[in-house]
Amino acid sequence: MTEFSTRRRSALEVFVCLCLVSLAYSFNIDLQHPVVFRGPDATFFGYSVLEHVHDNTRWIVVGAPRANSSFSSSVQSPGAVYKCRIRNNPEQRCTEMDLGRGQRESCGKTCQGDRNDEWMGVSLARQDKPNGKILACAHRWKNVYYESEYILPHGYCSVIPATLQGKSQPLIPCYEDHKKTYGEEHGSCQAGIAGVFTEELVIMGAPGSYYWTGTVKVFNMTSNTHYNLNQDNLSPRRYSYLGYAVTAGHFSSPNTIDVAAGAPQDSGVGKVSGFLQNLHHWFQMGSYFGSSLCAVDLNADGLSDLLVGAPMHSEIRDEGQVSVYLSSGNGVMEEVAILKGDNAYNAHFGECITSLGDIDEDGYQDVAIGAPKEDDYGGAVYIYHGDATVIVKKYSMRLSGRSINPTLQMFGQSISGNVDMDGNGYPALTLFAVACDRSRPVISVDISIFLPVSINITVPQCHEGPPHLNCFNVTVCMSFRGKHVPGHIELLYNLTADSDKRHKGLPPRVYFGNGGEQTVAVSQHFSLEINRQQCHQYTSFVRKEVKDVFAAIVFEAAYSLGKHFVDGHQDRDLPSLTPVLRWKKGEKIAAKNETWFEKNCLSEDCAADLSPWSSPGFMRNVSLNLTISNAGDDAYDTNIYFNFSREVHYINFLQREEKGISCMLVELDFLKCSIGFPFMRAQTKYHLSVLFDTSRLSGENETLLFLVHARSANPEHDSTLHDNTLELSIPLVHEVDTAITGVVSPTSFVYGNSVDRSRFVQLDDMECSFQPLNFTFQVINNGPSRLPGSTVDIRIPNRLAGNGADMFHIIDTQVSEGRGNCTRHRNPKPCTIPQDKESIFHTIFAFFTKSGRKVLDCDRPGRACLTISCSLSSQAKEEATSIDVRMLLNTEILQRDSSSVIQFVTRGHVQLDDRAVEVSTGLPEEISLVFEALHSQEPRGYVVGWIIAISLLVGILIFLLLAVLLWKMGFFRRHYREIIEAEKNRKDSDESWDWVQKSQ
Ligand SMILES: *[C@@H]1O[C@H](CO)[C@@H](O)[C@H](O)[C@H]1NC(C)=O
């Protein structure tokens, strides 16, 4: 029968400690005063623990399943159950209980008990009623009636009287006469490995039944009968160990008791089954280990919720976890949380789960979960709190075994709670290897701050302290309530005046006059007996310069618990525990009260009716002249708020007569002027001028806006609110001096047939030769203001004649740093070649006449021009913006022109935005850029041929014409012979005179 000896243990020292701890906001387990009970070594003393109260005597009942029994000395290690008295037990001694059993007990017709190694004390349970009995079981108890043939490990339980004395009642639920088969049915059921004890029923897990399918045995104390819970509905799964853990609770309805049992080996992963009494069937939940169970109504709905431990649950190794199931009646269970403690290595978190009762007194049950192997077998216990949502998923407290005692082992293997162990009215918690604790008393503090209903500040009322001051009384009273708090308790408090203002970091308006010394907080304490009130009184003064007379004056008293003085005799064993303050999650331990300044109003609601109006004065500075009138009641804490641009700067304010106006620049763009203190009289007008410096306006905005708003702390009727706000808008104009400059490159170029085409730009699929031209214009703002925006128009003559083709093609326009953009006129046909409609003669004629100069200027009328318009964004003073224009000029069109030089005059002009005006100092706002296109003067080849041919022809024609002319004139028929003969005759008659003969 080693199946259930897996809970192997080394020799343990055992402690039962009463531990309480004061945790600031947790609750009340005292770890400072552990009460330690020790049992014999190597007996597993403390394997189970149970708190027990009978007749006002408080006990810890401790199981030691490996102990020798002093009442059955011949039996080998049957185990023992000890009782340890909590009070009047200075040596902390525990005594073994006599369960009234013999050496070899007779238990039925075919029953002979063998108590060797029976493990008495493996489980303990207490009957769920006042002065309840105790169940102690020994799951390894054997029936050896059939001698060595069949040893039947039935398991044995004792029902021990509440007095812990006298004969106990034996229960052997698995025994039946003449049954001798081991394994089948109940032969080896080992009942009592786990047990619960309701008012009427003893419920014992019997995991060995039916070849370790397991079952749950029930004994009805009233009818004295035994039965199985799952008699008719057997799980077919062997070795699932149903009954390894059992618990009972109200799962189906608040009035029935149902049983849930764990089958931790079911399908290898574990399962929990529940038996509903009224429905007589089992419900089942998902797969997990079910080696520990705890039914507890966490959310106070009358139905028991269920915590299921899976201590071997592993992510790395056996960290363990606990699943929390919310019960919604009729056995419907929904998993709502998984608890893991600190998820520590090999912690076995969930080995033990116990309801503690409501230890923090919040109306919800709380639970403790043991992780006995955490901290290398030191063990830990985690405290979790129930709440309206079932459970607070973060534990509130972790009790570490090592920190209680370094030699402690397996702390948290067994936990018992829900019994007030030291009579202080609070439930306590007993833990294995520790049985821990008494709870500290929880006290509730009542604190009151008494203040006058209101404070009149117009008439100084204070006769003590400095003159002309207002003062009033502040009284603090405290008392406390609780259960069983002897002696005196010190309660400390810290009273703060005008705490709301202080929390906001504002100066408080009232203070405590403490013997001439001014303080805003006082710290004092009361020493109180239970339910006795005490009070302290203070005088509080109103500061002179109070402005806010409308906000409540709040006094706050934060308190804490001081020392606890107990008079007279103290219990030697159990010293009175220091109380703790009741604490609610999220609450601050403080009390508040408030009072108000009195108002002097005619109308019931003390409504003011304010209206500012204004006229701005102008120059480099702006002066707002305001008149504020109050047409209603006295206006308290009246303020005029100015919201304005950060570009203007507040200089000063002027008041026409001294009326207690003061202005304060709250932020660079927000001015607050307080009008009249402490109030602005009804039916009055105040005049105020506020000066602003406007010299640093950026010019980004077209108007300068002032929002003026009047407000008093009084309520004001909705119907009169409209005139409380004034919006002043002043249009702004910017003075600038702009200039434009520019360059073009190249300033001249040559075109014509003789020019190498590579000097031009060719566009894809176009036969034209383009001349690239780059323009750069620069616009400079010479101030004095910022130029909010401008437009630059660039005009380029685009045609040679009015009806000609467009010559230019814009490739790109760019404004520096993206501070503007230009319109882009795309030339749809950049490469237009004019048709040669002229004859060759025309060409030749053109060649011969190409000698003139042509000027293309957009300023001349009738010119077709290309206009690029660029709008520029704002320019600060001395800032320049440049515009680059890259374009192509179609030289084919130029070539058709007769001029040999074409001059292009391009013009750029800056135009200011409407918001700016030009203050010209002679800098140009317009620029003209000139470039020239020069023809190469070389005609094309065929023209040259033609010219030569035509010249030859013309030459020949002229020669022939001349010849004919000469012939016609008779140039070729002259009388040379006669002339020659006459000459001869003249020579012959040289000797006569007759030769002077004239004609005949
Ligand atoms: C126990 O037996 C008595 C008498 O037969 C019966 O009235 C009672 O209902 C039984 N209790 C439970 C919880 O079954």
Side-chain angles (χ1 to χ4, degrees):
M1 284 354 77
T2 54
E3 283 82 8
F4 301 109
S5 62
T6 47
R7 297 175 171 191
R8 217 169 295 126
R9 222 123 281 162
S10 58
L12 291 178
E13 281 192 281
V14 169
F15 305 80
V16 174
C17 69
L18 295 162
C19 9
L20 291 224
V21 124
S22 83
L23 281 192
Y25 359 160
S26 183
F27 61 108
N28 42 340
I29 287 181
D30 188 352
L31 285 175
Q32 287 162 358
H33 308 105
V35 177
V36 178
F37 297 104
R38 284 166 194 271
D41 280 0
T43 61
F44 292 1
F45 180 86
Y47 191 93
S48 57
V49 288
L50 191 70
E51 296 173 351
H52 180 68
V53 181
H54 176 70
D55 220 3
N56 280 331
T57 310
R58 289 163 181 83
W59 302 90
I60 301 275
V61 179
V62 183
R66 303 288 288 139
N68 282 317
S69 170
S70 53
F71 300 105
S72 324
S73 51
S74 64
V75 181
Q76 187 195 323
S77 306
V81 180
Y82 292 83
K83 56 181 181 184
C84 317
R85 212 184 155 107
I86 300 224
R87 285 171 184 253
N88 306 323
N89 185 5
E91 283 150 47
Q92 271 130 25
R93 208 196 312 256
C94 298
T95 49
E96 190 193 340
M97 283 193 271
D98 182 7
L99 304 180
R101 303 168 68 188
Q103 304 284 351
R104 277 171 84 86
E105 52 203 347
S106 168
C107 45
K109 281 183 192 153
T110 56
C111 181
Q112 184 64 60
D114 177 357
R115 294 184 56 203
N116 286 338
D117 294 315
E118 69 170 3
W119 280 64
M120 175 46 78
V122 69
S123 68
L124 292 170
R126 186 168 186 273
Q127 194 177 13
D128 186 18
K129 67 176 195 183
N131 286 330
K133 297 178 181 175
I134 282 177
L135 175 74
C137 295
H139 71 294
R140 291 184 174 206
W141 179 91
K142 300 176 284 290
N143 176 7
V144 292
Y145 178 83
Y146 297 101
E147 286 293 341
S148 53
E149 222 182 316
Y150 302 106
I151 295 172
L152 304 173
H154 290 321
Y156 178 103
C157 294
S158 287
V159 176
I160 304 164
T163 53
L164 307 182
Q165 281 167 357
K167 193 165 164 47
S168 61
Q169 178 184 0
L171 296 177
I172 310 170
C174 296
Y175 168 76
E176 282 175 55
D177 287 347
H178 308 295
K179 275 268 158 60
K180 60 176 180 181
T181 331
Y182 169 83
E184 280 174 15
E185 296 181 37
H186 311 311
S188 53
C189 78
Q190 300 168 70
I193 192 162
V196 274
F197 204 161
T198 70
E199 211 176 321
E200 201 170 19
L201 303 177
V202 178
I203 299 154
M204 294 157 285
S209 311
Y210 311 107
Y211 288 103
W212 293 275
T213 300
T215 186
V216 177
K217 294 284 180 184
V218 180
F219 178 70
N220 185 329
M221 297 279 290
T222 317
S223 62
N224 247 334
T225 49
H226 284 282
Y227 57 93
N228 284 1
L229 271 187
N230 56 340
Q231 217 133 244
D232 324 310
N233 197 352
L234 274 179
S235 159
R237 294 204 191 93
R238 287 182 173 183
Y239 306 104
S240 52
Y241 300 167
L242 178 71
Y244 188 87
V246 288
T247 188
H250 310 289
F251 300 126
S252 52
S253 76
N255 304 318
T256 52
I257 297 223
D258 311 302
V259 175
Q265 293 287 313
D266 189 275
S267 312
V269 289
K271 180 165 78 183
V272 167
S273 300
F275 182 75
L276 302 181
Q277 211 180 29
N278 58 343
L279 298 174
H280 292 274
H281 75 84
W282 290 89
F283 64 84
Q284 301 201 326
M285 295 184 294
S287 298
Y288 37 73
F289 291 98
S291 67
S292 61
L293 292 174
C294 177
V296 53
D297 179 10
L298 291 166
N299 59 349
D301 63 353
L303 291 166
S304 300
D305 307 303
L306 187 64
L307 285 86
V308 179
M312 312 270 266
H313 178 89
S314 288
E315 276 163 30
I316 299 168
R317 189 190 149 188
D318 295 350
E319 296 86 358
Q321 68 176 31
V322 170
S323 307
V324 182
Y325 287 83
L326 167 67
S327 171
S328 43
N330 288 331
V332 180
M333 309 292 273
E334 182 201 351
E335 189 185 86
V336 289
I338 288 189
L339 312 176
K340 294 192 171 205
D342 278 343
N343 204 24
Y345 176 80
N346 195 31
H348 286 232
F349 176 82
E351 182 84 39
C352 170
I353 311 168
T354 300
S355 160
L356 300 176
D358 180 13
I359 55 172
D360 59 353
E361 292 207 306
D362 65 350
Y364 297 101
Q365 302 272 308
D366 308 307
V367 293
I369 299 175
K373 296 188 181 171
E374 193 167 321
D375 282 351
D376 195 17
Y377 292 84
V381 170
Y382 295 85
I383 311 294
Y384 285 87
H385 296 270
D387 71 358
T389 70
V390 184
I391 198 156
V392 179
K393 292 191 183 67
K394 176 76 186 153
Y395 60 83
S396 71
M397 191 171 189
R398 175 182 178 272
L399 311 174
S400 148
R402 290 255 189 275
S403 67
I404 294 165
N405 187 316
T407 65
L408 208 60
Q409 281 194 299
M410 303 285 283
F411 175 71
Q413 169 66 38
S414 178
I415 309 170
S416 175
N418 221 348
V419 179
D420 174 13
M421 292 309 286
D422 57 356
N424 68 1
Y426 296 90
L429 170 69
T430 308
L431 306 140
F432 157 65
V434 174
C436 199
D437 137 357
R438 304 170 297 159
S439 299
R440 294 167 59 174
V442 178
I443 64 164
S444 299
V445 170
D446 295 310
I447 180 162
S448 315
I449 304 169
F450 295 99
L451 298 169
V453 181
S454 65
I455 304 158
N456 185 348
I457 49 165
T458 45
V459 187
Q461 288 166 320
C462 206
H463 302 297
E464 42 192 288
H468 312 301
L469 274 184
N470 282 289
C471 64
F472 57 98
N473 285 333
V474 181
T475 308
V476 180
C477 297
M478 278 180 117
S479 64
F480 75 88
R481 293 168 286 137
K483 292 187 221 164
H484 310 284
V485 186
H488 286 83
I489 283 180
E490 206 176 51
L491 286 171
L492 316 170
Y493 68 88
N494 199 344
L495 179 67
T496 310
D498 208 4
S499 60
D500 280 10
K501 292 277 176 193
R502 282 200 71 185
H503 290 323
K504 290 177 195 156
L506 299 171
R509 296 163 293 173
V510 293
Y511 59 92
F512 297 111
N514 211 348
E517 195 188 329
Q518 297 185 4
T519 53
V520 287
V522 287
S523 296
Q524 268 297 345
H525 71 271
F526 290 107
S527 185
L528 294 173
E529 262 176 76
I530 190 161
N531 294 334
R532 289 278 178 81
Q533 195 186 59
Q534 281 187 28
C535 298
H536 289 159
Q537 199 181 70
Y538 300 92
T539 308
S540 189
F541 297 90
V542 181
R543 279 194 202 285
K544 261 186 177 167
E545 65 280 18
V546 168
K547 292 221 173 105
D548 179 2
V549 293
F550 266 82
I553 310 154
V554 179
F555 284 80
E556 184 180 290
Y559 58 90
S560 60
L561 207 54
K563 290 197 190 96
H564 182 200
F565 304 99
V566 183
D567 321 304
H569 170 74
Q570 275 219 35
D571 190 312
R572 207 157 60 90
D573 307 321
L574 287 177
S576 276
L577 296 168
T578 317
V580 290
L581 277 177
R582 177 183 305 280
W583 171 81
K584 283 277 173 208
K585 289 159 208 150
E587 258 178 37
K588 192 177 167 186
I589 301 179
K592 285 183 181 182
N593 196 6
E594 59 189 29
T595 183
W596 307 82
F597 287 116
E598 214 168 277
K599 283 144 213 131
N600 174 25
C601 292
L602 303 174
S603 62
E604 224 160 77
D605 53 0
C606 202
D609 177 10
L610 302 174
S611 55
W613 59 270
S614 145
S615 60
F618 241 118
M619 288 251 294
R620 278 274 172 250
N621 296 333
V622 178
S623 150
L624 298 184
N625 303 322
L626 279 173
T627 302
I628 307 104
S629 55
N630 180 10
D633 253 322
D634 289 353
Y636 285 90
D637 191 18
T638 306
N639 288 295
I640 309 276
Y641 302 94
F642 296 84
N643 274 81
F644 44 88
S645 159
R646 282 188 176 245
E647 291 170 8
V648 300
H649 296 271
Y650 164 68
I651 301 172
N652 206 349
F653 77 96
L654 305 165
Q655 46 186 328
R656 208 177 284 176
E657 55 213 87
E658 176 52 47
K659 282 211 169 160
I661 298 177
S662 66
C663 291
M664 188 179 74
L665 198 62
V666 182
E667 271 173 55
L668 278 178
D669 56 356
F670 187 64
L671 178 73
K672 175 182 168 181
C673 292
S674 146
I675 310 294
F677 175 77
F679 49 80
M680 183 178 176
R681 289 276 174 217
Q683 316 293 335
T684 51
K685 282 187 180 176
Y686 287 58
H687 303 281
L688 168 72
S689 297
V690 187
L691 280 176
F692 295 96
D693 172 20
T694 56
S695 64
R696 271 168 280 178
L697 285 173
S698 69
E700 292 298 343
N701 304 310
E702 288 162 51
T703 52
L704 186 56
L705 199 67
F706 291 90
L707 279 177
V708 186
H709 186 75
R711 257 192 63 182
S712 70
N714 306 51
E716 195 166 334
H717 294 298
D718 285 349
S719 57
T720 67
L721 268 179
H722 62 92
D723 61 358
N724 282 31
T725 307
L726 187 69
E727 199 177 303
L728 293 170
S729 171
I730 302 163
L732 296 176
V733 175
H734 306 262
E735 290 183 340
V736 290
D737 178 17
T738 51
I740 185 165
T741 60
V743 284
V744 58
S745 107
T747 49
S748 68
F749 63 93
V750 180
Y751 67 95
N753 286 310
S754 60
V755 181
D756 184 1
R757 276 175 82 93
S758 68
R759 285 184 51 192
F760 296 111
V761 172
Q762 237 78 38
L763 292 182
D764 299 339
D765 310 327
M766 292 184 193
E767 44 176 317
C768 298
S769 298
F770 292 101
Q771 170 63 40
L773 287 160
N774 293 335
F775 294 89
T776 302
F777 294 91
Q778 197 170 48
V779 178
I780 302 153
N781 171 22
N782 288 303
S785 280
R786 190 183 180 86
L787 173 60
S790 57
T791 311
V792 176
D793 289 322
I794 299 160
R795 289 175 301 144
I796 304 154
N798 205 13
R799 290 179 186 174
L800 288 175
N803 56 358
D806 289 347
M807 290 182 284
F808 286 100
H809 172 55
I810 302 168
I811 300 175
D812 190 22
T813 55
Q814 231 170 10
V815 180
S816 61
E817 291 154 24
R819 287 168 35 190
N821 52 328
C822 300
T823 56
R824 290 197 59 178
H825 301 280
R826 280 208 153 267
N827 187 345
K829 285 186 275 178
C831 180
T832 309
I833 301 172
Q835 286 306 304
D836 275 338
K837 57 181 187 296
E838 308 97 340
S839 65
I840 185 67
F841 297 104
H842 193 276
T843 311
I844 294 163
F845 177 79
F847 170 77
F848 285 109
T849 54
K850 197 182 251 276
S851 57
R853 162 183 283 261
K854 197 177 234 174
V855 177
L856 300 177
D857 185 347
C858 288
D859 273 4
R860 296 199 186 163
R863 284 284 167 217
C865 280
L866 168 67
T867 306
I868 303 170
S869 190
C870 298
S871 54
L872 307 185
S873 56
S874 92
Q875 274 176 271
K877 192 181 163 189
E878 310 289 348
E879 202 170 53
T881 304
S882 54
I883 304 165
D884 287 301
V885 182
R886 291 199 294 131
M887 42 195 202
L888 299 177
L889 172 59
N890 183 358
T891 58
E892 307 295 335
I893 295 173
L894 298 184
Q895 286 202 40
R896 300 304 189 278
D897 193 75
S898 56
S899 315
S900 55
V901 176
I902 305 175
Q903 201 173 50
F904 290 84
V905 181
T906 308
R907 294 186 181 273
H909 176 76
V910 205
Q911 203 163 0
L912 301 184
D913 195 285
D914 293 346
R915 297 165 284 178
V917 288
E918 184 78 39
V919 282
S920 197
T921 54
L923 293 169
E925 281 81 57
E926 173 151 349
I927 188 172
S928 56
L929 299 179
V930 179
F931 64 92
E932 286 180 331
L934 309 171
H935 196 270
S936 61
Q937 298 287 20
E938 281 172 49
R940 272 165 276 189
Y942 75 98
V943 178
V944 175
W946 273 103
I947 287 171
I948 292 167
I950 290 169
S951 304
L952 273 174
L953 207 67
V954 169
I956 290 165
L957 276 175
I958 290 170
F959 176 73
L960 286 177
L961 205 70
L962 213 62
V964 170
L965 207 67
L966 287 174
W967 182 73
K968 279 282 178 196
M969 284 167 68
F971 180 76
F972 302 105
R973 275 181 280 155
R974 223 171 141 176
H975 306 287
Y976 291 104
R977 206 183 302 164
E978 290 167 21
I979 294 166
I980 295 163
E981 279 177 15
E983 186 60 28
K984 203 191 232 168
N985 291 339
R986 196 189 53 92
K987 278 179 183 170
D988 290 342
S989 61
D990 260 352
E991 289 95 39
S992 69
W993 296 84
D994 199 10
W995 60 276
V996 190
Q997 192 180 325
K998 277 190 138 183
S999 63
Q1000 285 117 29

